[in-house]
Amino acid sequence: MARAFEKLSDLKVRKVKTAGYLGDGGGLYLQVSPSLSKSWVFRYQVNGRTREMGLGSFNTFGLRDARDRATGCRKLLADGIDPIEQRNAAHQRKQLSDARVMTFGQCCEKYIEAHRSGWKNVKHASQWDATLRTYCTLLWPLDVAAIDTVLVMKSLEPIWKVKTETASRVRGRIESVLAWATVRKFRTGDNPAAWRNHLDQLLPKRSKVQKVEHRAALPYSDIPQFMTKLRLRQGLSARALELQILTATRPGEAAGAQWEEFNVPAATWIIPAERMKAGKEHRVPLSQTAVGLLRSLIPSAPTGKLLHVVGHVFPGVKDRPLTTAAAMNLLKDLHPDITAHGFRSTFRDWAAETTKHPREVIEAAMAHRLKDKSEAAYQRGDLLIRRARLMNDWDRHCRSAG
């Protein structure tokens, strides 16, 4: 038997075609608009003031639903709580909670932006963004507060054994982003990407699974013949590779060379720290052939005087330097079984096996840090004069008959 204040029926609610209010009792009304759309409202009094609270559309909430909602409101009133104020407060809490929610992807972007200016390598930011987007697709859209060890492992396990070096970097980057999110109060608790006493219990050490991949290198006895073929090639790719070989630098260091880095009359090249792998400025003594190569690239005035130039020594497209891929493409034709980076190994083997130059001079020429800390502590200078002799000897070997 219906209670006295339940005055409406499902049939009456469905069939009503007159605008106005139909009362069900207990403050619950069906509101019919002039356009005959229907919705539920709850009328009540608080401190002598009449208030009206919407309970939703009739299309969404039937009569029973509306009565349940009205009952909830009456219970709040019985406890001295204004239903409208309570709903507004809940809405504000949700808005505040939503404002504090950050996805892992948003945290990645914020972290990279916060650290961009402090990274010496200009490519660092793009590398971070690319690796996190590529290998953290599962984490990217999730609330950063919800990231746990299970989710981190799902991102790392598929690549830990097949791309160990990359996976290790990704883990470190995830850890840094989550640490940033914790400090910014977007998450709490331990860092699920931490290695020590955590992921090191779940994943094998990188050294245990990573395969050492040696760069394919040309035997030093074959360098003279190779350099002869290289010098016959036209184009900036060939000249960039030639400069790289003559200076024992890395492919990116040569391809990204800027004219402002060179003092051609003094036969020196200063590669700034932000372009070096170790993040330390590197002075390179230039051999006679290297100086001649650079002079051949500098445009001259009608009088024959060399003009002052700035910008990329080996310009690529869209105001960017030549990419390292250019040298690799050239090698596919000249010598497809070697890599551009492998010429550093060629130089190292030649210097160690055929010359009397000290090991520390050879290592300095390659911009390597000495592993022996005590030895490194005593080596204050960069051995430029002694390295100049080494590079001149290398130049002569490259121009020899083999």
Side-chain angles (χ1 to χ4, degrees), residues 56 77-78 82 130 155 162 189 196 210 223 311 323 330 341 367 402:
L77 287 169
D82 185 332
S155 296
V162 294
R196 180 175 290 184
Q210 185 176 20
I223 273 289
T323 67
L330 179 64
H341 197 283

PDB file of all heavy atoms in Angstrom, residues 56 77-78 82 130 155 162 189 196 210 223 311 323 330 341 367 402:
ATOM      1  N   GLY A  56      17.119  15.864 -11.477  1.00  0.00           N
ATOM      2  CA  GLY A  56      17.432  15.187 -12.729  1.00  0.00           C
ATOM      3  C   GLY A  56      16.250  15.083 -13.671  1.00  0.00           C
ATOM      4  O   GLY A  56      15.093  15.290 -13.300  1.00  0.00           O
ATOM      5  N   LEU A  77      18.201  16.601   5.617  1.00  0.00           N
ATOM      6  CA  LEU A  77      17.513  17.658   6.363  1.00  0.00           C
ATOM      7  C   LEU A  77      17.289  17.238   7.809  1.00  0.00           C
ATOM      8  O   LEU A  77      17.394  18.057   8.739  1.00  0.00           O
ATOM      9  CB  LEU A  77      16.179  17.987   5.688  1.00  0.00           C
ATOM     10  CG  LEU A  77      16.272  18.765   4.374  1.00  0.00           C
ATOM     11  CD1 LEU A  77      14.915  18.788   3.659  1.00  0.00           C
ATOM     12  CD2 LEU A  77      16.759  20.190   4.621  1.00  0.00           C
ATOM     13  N   ALA A  78      16.975  15.965   8.008  1.00  0.00           N
ATOM     14  CA  ALA A  78      16.769  15.475   9.373  1.00  0.00           C
ATOM     15  C   ALA A  78      18.034  15.585  10.210  1.00  0.00           C
ATOM     16  O   ALA A  78      17.978  15.733  11.443  1.00  0.00           O
ATOM     17  CB  ALA A  78      16.290  14.034   9.337  1.00  0.00           C
ATOM     18  N   ASP A  82      21.781  21.005   4.706  1.00  0.00           N
ATOM     19  CA  ASP A  82      21.099  21.532   3.529  1.00  0.00           C
ATOM     20  C   ASP A  82      21.538  20.704   2.313  1.00  0.00           C
ATOM     21  O   ASP A  82      22.730  20.693   1.974  1.00  0.00           O
ATOM     22  CB  ASP A  82      21.468  23.009   3.333  1.00  0.00           C
ATOM     23  CG  ASP A  82      20.695  23.673   2.202  1.00  0.00           C
ATOM     24  OD1 ASP A  82      20.299  22.960   1.256  1.00  0.00           O
ATOM     25  OD2 ASP A  82      20.512  24.896   2.250  1.00  0.00           O
ATOM     26  N   ALA A 130      60.818  11.322 -26.728  1.00  0.00           N
ATOM     27  CA  ALA A 130      60.628  10.219 -27.677  1.00  0.00           C
ATOM     28  C   ALA A 130      60.623   8.862 -26.974  1.00  0.00           C
ATOM     29  O   ALA A 130      59.755   8.014 -27.239  1.00  0.00           O
ATOM     30  CB  ALA A 130      61.726  10.262 -28.742  1.00  0.00           C
ATOM     31  N   SER A 155      55.844  -2.063 -18.581  1.00  0.00           N
ATOM     32  CA  SER A 155      56.495  -1.201 -19.572  1.00  0.00           C
ATOM     33  C   SER A 155      57.923  -1.636 -19.846  1.00  0.00           C
ATOM     34  O   SER A 155      58.413  -1.517 -20.978  1.00  0.00           O
ATOM     35  CB  SER A 155      56.486   0.255 -19.084  1.00  0.00           C
ATOM     36  OG  SER A 155      55.169   0.740 -18.965  1.00  0.00           O
ATOM     37  N   VAL A 162      65.849  -7.320 -24.852  1.00  0.00           N
ATOM     38  CA  VAL A 162      66.123  -7.100 -26.281  1.00  0.00           C
ATOM     39  C   VAL A 162      66.670  -5.697 -26.559  1.00  0.00           C
ATOM     40  O   VAL A 162      67.362  -5.480 -27.553  1.00  0.00           O
ATOM     41  CB  VAL A 162      64.850  -7.340 -27.129  1.00  0.00           C
ATOM     42  CG1 VAL A 162      64.460  -8.799 -27.071  1.00  0.00           C
ATOM     43  CG2 VAL A 162      63.695  -6.465 -26.661  1.00  0.00           C
ATOM     44  N   GLY A 189      53.977   8.058  -1.592  1.00  0.00           N
ATOM     45  CA  GLY A 189      54.522   6.721  -1.443  1.00  0.00           C
ATOM     46  C   GLY A 189      55.879   6.537  -2.096  1.00  0.00           C
ATOM     47  O   GLY A 189      56.473   7.472  -2.633  1.00  0.00           O
ATOM     48  N   ARG A 196      67.484   0.216  -6.811  1.00  0.00           N
ATOM     49  CA  ARG A 196      68.096  -0.431  -5.658  1.00  0.00           C
ATOM     50  C   ARG A 196      67.037  -0.942  -4.672  1.00  0.00           C
ATOM     51  O   ARG A 196      66.123  -0.214  -4.298  1.00  0.00           O
ATOM     52  CB  ARG A 196      69.055   0.530  -4.950  1.00  0.00           C
ATOM     53  CG  ARG A 196      69.735  -0.052  -3.725  1.00  0.00           C
ATOM     54  CD  ARG A 196      70.758   0.876  -3.132  1.00  0.00           C
ATOM     55  NE  ARG A 196      71.929   1.020  -3.995  1.00  0.00           N
ATOM     56  CZ  ARG A 196      73.017   1.721  -3.659  1.00  0.00           C
ATOM     57  NH1 ARG A 196      73.060   2.334  -2.493  1.00  0.00           N
ATOM     58  NH2 ARG A 196      74.043   1.812  -4.493  1.00  0.00           N
ATOM     59  N   GLN A 210      72.915  -7.578 -21.309  1.00  0.00           N
ATOM     60  CA  GLN A 210      73.264  -6.731 -22.453  1.00  0.00           C
ATOM     61  C   GLN A 210      74.408  -7.330 -23.251  1.00  0.00           C
ATOM     62  O   GLN A 210      75.438  -7.714 -22.697  1.00  0.00           O
ATOM     63  CB  GLN A 210      73.648  -5.332 -21.962  1.00  0.00           C
ATOM     64  CG  GLN A 210      73.915  -4.338 -23.092  1.00  0.00           C
ATOM     65  CD  GLN A 210      74.191  -2.949 -22.545  1.00  0.00           C
ATOM     66  OE1 GLN A 210      74.546  -2.794 -21.387  1.00  0.00           O
ATOM     67  NE2 GLN A 210      74.013  -1.941 -23.367  1.00  0.00           N
ATOM     68  N   ILE A 223      93.173   2.078 -44.192  1.00  0.00           N
ATOM     69  CA  ILE A 223      92.755   3.482 -44.155  1.00  0.00           C
ATOM     70  C   ILE A 223      93.306   4.295 -45.333  1.00  0.00           C
ATOM     71  O   ILE A 223      92.568   5.074 -45.951  1.00  0.00           O
ATOM     72  CB  ILE A 223      93.165   4.119 -42.804  1.00  0.00           C
ATOM     73  CG1 ILE A 223      92.059   3.870 -41.779  1.00  0.00           C
ATOM     74  CG2 ILE A 223      93.384   5.618 -42.922  1.00  0.00           C
ATOM     75  CD1 ILE A 223      90.793   4.664 -42.005  1.00  0.00           C
ATOM     76  N   GLY A 311      77.700  29.734 -38.767  1.00  0.00           N
ATOM     77  CA  GLY A 311      76.672  28.699 -38.961  1.00  0.00           C
ATOM     78  C   GLY A 311      77.268  27.319 -39.145  1.00  0.00           C
ATOM     79  O   GLY A 311      78.414  27.036 -38.779  1.00  0.00           O
ATOM     80  N   THR A 323      72.949  15.337 -40.915  1.00  0.00           N
ATOM     81  CA  THR A 323      72.710  14.264 -39.943  1.00  0.00           C
ATOM     82  C   THR A 323      73.789  13.200 -40.060  1.00  0.00           C
ATOM     83  O   THR A 323      74.458  13.069 -41.096  1.00  0.00           O
ATOM     84  CB  THR A 323      71.338  13.613 -40.160  1.00  0.00           C
ATOM     85  OG1 THR A 323      71.346  12.929 -41.423  1.00  0.00           O
ATOM     86  CG2 THR A 323      70.235  14.652 -40.150  1.00  0.00           C
ATOM     87  N   LEU A 330      76.608   7.115 -47.128  1.00  0.00           N
ATOM     88  CA  LEU A 330      77.804   7.145 -47.979  1.00  0.00           C
ATOM     89  C   LEU A 330      78.595   5.847 -47.823  1.00  0.00           C
ATOM     90  O   LEU A 330      79.078   5.273 -48.803  1.00  0.00           O
ATOM     91  CB  LEU A 330      78.662   8.347 -47.601  1.00  0.00           C
ATOM     92  CG  LEU A 330      79.974   8.530 -48.380  1.00  0.00           C
ATOM     93  CD1 LEU A 330      79.697   8.792 -49.859  1.00  0.00           C
ATOM     94  CD2 LEU A 330      80.781   9.675 -47.768  1.00  0.00           C
ATOM     95  N   HIS A 341      81.162   5.411 -36.800  1.00  0.00           N
ATOM     96  CA  HIS A 341      81.744   5.463 -35.461  1.00  0.00           C
ATOM     97  C   HIS A 341      82.946   4.524 -35.348  1.00  0.00           C
ATOM     98  O   HIS A 341      83.856   4.740 -34.528  1.00  0.00           O
ATOM     99  CB  HIS A 341      80.682   5.072 -34.428  1.00  0.00           C
ATOM    100  CG  HIS A 341      81.035   5.475 -33.031  1.00  0.00           C
ATOM    101  ND1 HIS A 341      81.946   4.791 -32.270  1.00  0.00           N
ATOM    102  CD2 HIS A 341      80.600   6.508 -32.262  1.00  0.00           C
ATOM    103  CE1 HIS A 341      82.060   5.366 -31.083  1.00  0.00           C
ATOM    104  NE2 HIS A 341      81.251   6.407 -31.054  1.00  0.00           N
ATOM    105  N   ALA A 367      88.853  12.142 -26.522  1.00  0.00           N
ATOM    106  CA  ALA A 367      87.962  12.763 -25.523  1.00  0.00           C
ATOM    107  C   ALA A 367      87.426  11.725 -24.553  1.00  0.00           C
ATOM    108  O   ALA A 367      86.277  11.791 -24.118  1.00  0.00           O
ATOM    109  CB  ALA A 367      86.817  13.516 -26.191  1.00  0.00           C
ATOM    110  N   GLY A 402     100.071   3.052 -47.732  1.00  0.00           N
ATOM    111  CA  GLY A 402      99.653   1.813 -47.057  1.00  0.00           C
ATOM    112  C   GLY A 402     100.793   0.961 -46.661  1.00  0.00           C
ATOM    113  O   GLY A 402     101.943   1.254 -46.866  1.00  0.00           O
TER     114      GLY A 402
END
